[in-house]
Amino acid sequence: MSAATPDPVIPHQTDTRAAAKTAKKLHIITHGCQMNVYDSARMADVLAPLGYAPVDAPEGADMVIMNTCHIRERAAEKVFSALGRLRDMKSETGGRMMIAVTGCVAQAEGELIARRAPYVDLVVGPQAYHRLPELIAAVHRTQKIVLDTEFPAAPKFDFLPELAAPQGVIANLTIQEGCDKFCSFCVVPYTRGAEASRPAASVIAEARRMVAQGTREIALLGQNVNAYHGEGPDGATWSLARLLDALAEIPELARLRYTTSHPSDMSEDLILAHGRNPKLMPFLHLPVQSGSDKILAAMNRKHKADDFRRIIARLREVRPDMAFTSDFITGHPGETDADFAATMALVRETGFALAYSFNYSPRPGTPAAALPQLDQAVKDARLYELQAELRRQQDAFNAATVGLTTPVLFTGRGRHPGQIAGRSLYTQPVVIEVDTATGAAPLPGEVHMVKVTHANPNSLLGQLDTKELIAA
Ligand code: SAM
Ligand code: SF4
């Protein structure tokens, strides 16, 4: 997808059977990135011992958590309009429904939320989710809104309980949080705090538990995941490459990914891991943001366009079937036509499987927000041109898979009856029809070779090539 689309809203995975048995219904609304999806699952785990079980809809819930994202424009406005709807539902429960706002908007706009939406009960920043039980108790005790947006000395990883609920065939695992890079445009260092890595042993133990519950593909998550430097079981500091090698030893784990990476943390060792670790997928999300060195410097990115080119070339050397995605920002303060042309040139010469592109959005408190801003029409025209090229590249990438036979990790039923869905090496959704003669269909968690017969804009259609289970 190459679009400046609104952040997706992902309902938290629910287990309605569990909810039926318990008195307290919990509904979590998740905005933004995969790290928020992971955090929402952890919050559900923190609240389970208090008798809260997830439900599909907010109506009639005892607690609704809105886990928010602050990365782009109008984030706070979207939160306030959604909160308005929750206020009405809260009145329908006679005020019983507890409303919590979590995530980066909570961190950045906590005081404003308390002023503008006094019916909210809890405002909790990303570093305080482990304290939810005591914060809920404080709301009951004081009958007042409770705010917790402190950055504690020890990262929240040390306090969160073990991930409990099964995460599905494809799952995320947060290994690193926060960021010390302070790109000119970005709120993350302010909302997520300083960079912190989880100890390798706790990551490996969590991955083993996930795999024991049926997970076959794990994406390691972090705002700067390739800056990972966690304490190893041997007392040494482990790099991401070393952690990936250790995780690859879990026998039933078929696939590993990691996201999001920063070009200046793309070490040679990590590049080589793509050549030596067969479970590491040949697909990397590596945001470059711009192809102009002047703008990269203005963005405080600490890498140049040629550094990005070198990394791509090295990765293609060690793993020739590598494909890439990236993030781009158009219209950062100071961007001229020549700077934008440099971005377009980098895009054309690299060739992306897909990429995300956004108009620069001034975020309060970040350095670039204080600079003179570009005309909106100029930004829009550049974004349009960039997205047209990225869409063309994505279509070409998908079209090139037609006729190929490729391993697909099956995840479950497709959208239509008789369809089974899975993911390619490059995360493309792949759909096959169940064999009507035999009724044979791959089970979730199995990897089978599929011959791709057709490419849609965002998915592939195919036929099972062999029913033999293979190791991807
Ligand atoms: N850590 C990653 C990196 O360094 O590339 C990116 C994390 S950020 C949460 C995800 C993407 O949102 C960025 O790569 C950037 O393209 C986009 N983004 C962040 N702040 C933005 C802003 N103020 N305006 C537009 N896009 C923004
Ligand atoms: Fe934001 Fe990524 Fe830059 Fe950190 S490295 S400040 S998360 S864009």
Side-chain angles (χ1 to χ4, degrees):
M1 180 179 69
S2 57
T5 46
D7 293 317
V9 176
I10 307 153
H12 183 64
Q13 281 192 347
T14 55
D15 182 346
T16 33
R17 280 167 310 158
K21 284 188 232 139
T22 156
K24 291 187 216 159
K25 295 178 186 161
L26 167 69
H27 181 71
I28 306 183
I29 302 161
T30 307
H31 296 202
C33 67
Q34 291 306 311
M35 295 194 63
N36 267 7
V37 176
Y38 180 86
D39 281 348
S40 291
R42 305 305 299 265
M43 285 191 266
D45 288 337
V46 170
L47 294 177
L50 305 191
Y52 286 96
V55 292
D56 284 331
E59 289 85 1
D62 296 278
M63 174 138 187
V64 176
I65 298 178
M66 188 180 295
N67 194 10
T68 61
C69 169
H70 201 240
I71 209 80
R72 279 177 293 277
E73 61 234 285
R74 294 194 296 277
E77 281 320 307
K78 282 182 212 157
V79 169
F80 283 115
S81 68
L83 282 176
R85 290 192 292 278
L86 290 178
R87 176 189 49 202
D88 298 342
M89 288 179 206
K90 180 172 178 145
S91 323
E92 282 159 24
T93 64
R96 175 178 50 83
M97 176 191 281
M98 190 176 277
I99 301 176
V101 183
T102 63
C104 292
V105 177
Q107 185 69 42
E109 312 276 8
E111 301 289 339
L112 184 68
I113 293 169
R115 271 202 314 279
R116 272 186 57 183
Y119 48 88
V120 166
D121 301 283
L122 263 174
V123 178
V124 187
Q127 297 304 323
Y129 299 153
H130 56 286
R131 286 200 289 268
L132 272 170
E134 58 192 271
L135 298 173
I136 290 173
V139 172
H140 286 307
R141 204 172 50 245
T142 61
Q143 295 294 309
K144 286 196 182 127
I145 183 166
V146 171
L147 268 77
D148 189 341
T149 51
E150 293 296 305
F151 284 126
K156 70 176 180 209
F157 297 130
D158 298 355
F159 303 105
L160 281 168
E162 289 178 359
L163 196 62
Q167 299 299 298
V169 171
I170 296 177
N172 296 318
L173 199 174
T174 296
I175 64 166
Q176 180 272 347
E177 245 210 295
C179 181
D180 299 334
K181 296 231 167 25
F182 290 92
C183 297
S184 64
F185 51 82
C186 185
V187 288
V188 167
Y190 311 95
T191 58
R192 292 268 175 175
E195 196 185 293
S197 297
R198 277 174 83 172
S202 110
V203 173
I204 294 166
E206 186 167 323
R208 285 190 183 282
R209 282 194 298 274
M210 290 165 114
V211 169
Q213 291 178 310
T215 295
R216 296 266 283 143
E217 173 177 319
I218 293 180
L220 304 180
L221 301 183
Q223 263 97 18
N224 250 297
V225 75
N226 58 342
Y228 177 84
H229 56 280
E231 185 194 339
D234 53 1
T237 300
W238 280 26
S239 66
L240 179 61
R242 184 143 185 214
L243 180 65
L244 286 162
D245 286 345
L247 290 168
E249 284 170 20
I250 303 174
E252 304 82 7
L253 184 62
R255 294 178 168 186
L256 280 164
R257 305 180 191 276
Y258 58 94
T259 196
T260 296
S261 296
H262 191 287
S264 48
D265 291 315
M266 209 62 219
S267 67
E268 178 65 10
D269 188 31
L270 184 54
I271 291 173
L272 290 173
H274 282 270
R276 69 168 177 261
N277 186 337
K279 294 188 178 179
L280 195 49
M281 291 294 96
F283 194 46
L284 181 66
H285 182 60
L286 192 62
V288 62
Q289 315 296 355
S290 169
S292 152
D293 285 346
K294 185 193 96 193
I295 292 300
L296 288 171
M299 287 176 164
N300 192 28
R301 284 292 289 178
K302 303 177 177 76
H303 63 84
K304 296 193 166 167
D306 275 352
D307 297 325
F308 181 80
R309 288 186 177 91
R310 260 193 304 277
I311 295 164
I312 300 285
R314 274 296 289 141
L315 281 162
R316 284 182 168 146
E317 247 167 59
V318 303
R319 183 90 204 232
D321 59 347
M322 260 332 262
F324 298 93
T325 82
S326 196
D327 290 345
F328 294 90
I329 295 179
T330 47
H332 184 276
E335 187 187 71
T336 61
D337 284 345
D339 296 318
F340 177 65
T343 299
M344 290 300 292
L346 183 70
V347 168
R348 285 198 194 93
E349 85 193 61
T350 307
F352 291 97
L354 71 107
Y356 304 93
S357 48
F358 317 99
N359 253 341
Y360 168 70
S361 154
R363 311 313 296 136
T366 58
L371 299 173
Q373 302 296 312
L374 263 66
D375 201 60
Q376 189 62 37
V378 172
K379 285 161 75 169
D380 288 346
R382 288 180 188 164
L383 185 63
Y384 184 83
E385 187 180 337
L386 174 62
Q387 290 189 341
E389 175 60 21
L390 292 171
R391 180 75 247 176
R392 199 193 58 69
Q393 294 193 355
Q394 183 176 342
D395 290 346
F397 183 79
N398 287 341
T401 60
V402 175
L404 299 180
T405 299
T406 186
V408 172
L409 171 59
F410 284 92
T411 49
R413 265 184 291 217
R415 203 179 295 165
H416 301 294
Q419 286 185 337
I420 311 282
R423 294 277 168 165
S424 74
L425 298 175
Y426 306 105
T427 71
Q428 296 145 299
V430 182
V431 176
I432 64 159
E433 302 286 332
V434 178
D435 186 335
T436 42
T438 63
L443 294 173
E446 290 181 353
V447 179
H448 292 275
M449 296 304 281
V450 167
K451 182 164 186 190
V452 179
T453 53
H454 183 79
N456 290 323
N458 297 308
S459 65
L460 305 174
L461 303 182
Q463 288 164 354
L464 216 48
D465 190 66
T466 165
K467 294 192 173 57
E468 274 173 24
L469 198 63
I470 60 133

